[in-house]
Amino acid sequence: MKIFRILPILSMLFITTLGFSQQAAEIYVKGTVVEAKTNQPLEYASITLVSTTNPSYVTGDMTDASGQFNIPILPDTYEIKIEFLGYQTLTISNKEITSSMSLGMIKVESDSEVLEGLVIETKRADVEFKLDKKVYNVSNDNINKGGTASDVLDNILL
């Protein structure tokens, strides 16, 4: 009699387990990201895949030392973005992926601007408070230029 009570419970657990284990099969998108002019692989380039049918499904990865990536995804239509600092973002829109595929060698162009010139200037604060003293920086004070040490001290104390 107890077997007749346990058997339906075990069969329900078994069916439930089978139902949850039957998820959509993952497929893979792979490729290589290289610099367009030199064909040098770009390490740590970012690849982002956003589902166009379900924008909350976002996945991605970074390239390895040889510029390659291999990303597991679910079959869907995606917008693919390849980004790397100092390079133009490459976007592949509405790419329908139903089986594992290779995007091949993806070449990205550098995004640089030539500056005419760059001048970096620093200025120390006129007064610095240290733990045990005050430091007066008089090098930027035009009043003190050309004066003696006693003129500098007179100006500080005023």
Side-chain angles (χ1 to χ4, degrees):
M1 279 307 244
K2 287 187 179 184
I3 291 179
F4 292 117
R5 288 187 206 171
I6 295 175
L7 190 60
I9 293 172
L10 288 176
S11 63
M12 288 300 287
L13 287 174
F14 181 71
I15 291 171
T16 305
T17 305
L18 283 177
F20 282 118
S21 67
Q22 297 296 323
Q23 297 178 353
E26 285 188 339
I27 57 176
Y28 291 88
V29 173
K30 62 182 179 177
T32 305
V33 179
V34 297
E35 202 274 329
K37 291 181 182 174
T38 62
N39 283 338
Q40 292 294 318
L42 294 177
E43 184 176 8
Y44 301 119
S46 172
I47 296 90
T48 307
L49 291 98
V50 180
S51 171
T52 57
T53 57
N54 182 10
S56 64
Y57 181 69
V58 179
T59 188
D61 201 1
M62 297 185 113
T63 58
D64 59 12
S66 60
Q68 296 181 348
F69 63 91
N70 193 14
I71 304 170
I73 62 168
L74 299 174
D76 203 351
T77 303
Y78 291 93
E79 179 175 288
I80 304 168
K81 285 187 181 180
I82 295 96
E83 299 172 302
F84 191 70
L85 187 63
Y87 290 83
Q88 296 174 359
T89 300
L90 179 67
T91 304
I92 302 170
S93 299
N94 295 323
K95 184 73 171 176
E96 186 173 343
I97 303 172
T98 56
S99 62
S100 292
M101 67 177 300
S102 174
L103 296 176
M105 188 178 290
I106 302 167
K107 296 183 177 188
V108 292
E109 299 279 337
S110 66
D111 187 23
S112 62
E113 295 180 16
V114 177
L115 300 175
E116 291 293 323
L118 181 64
V119 177
I120 299 174
E121 293 181 5
T122 61
K123 181 180 175 185
R124 298 178 79 181
D126 291 335
V127 180
E128 295 177 18
F129 295 100
K130 305 265 178 159
L131 187 60
D132 58 342
K133 60 187 170 187
K134 282 186 195 176
V135 176
Y136 293 96
N137 296 316
V138 295
S139 61
N140 295 329
D141 193 359
N142 290 331
I143 296 172
N144 295 324
K145 290 188 178 177
T148 63
S150 64
D151 293 337
V152 172
L153 288 174
D154 286 340
N155 287 334
I156 290 173
L157 297 175
L158 292 179

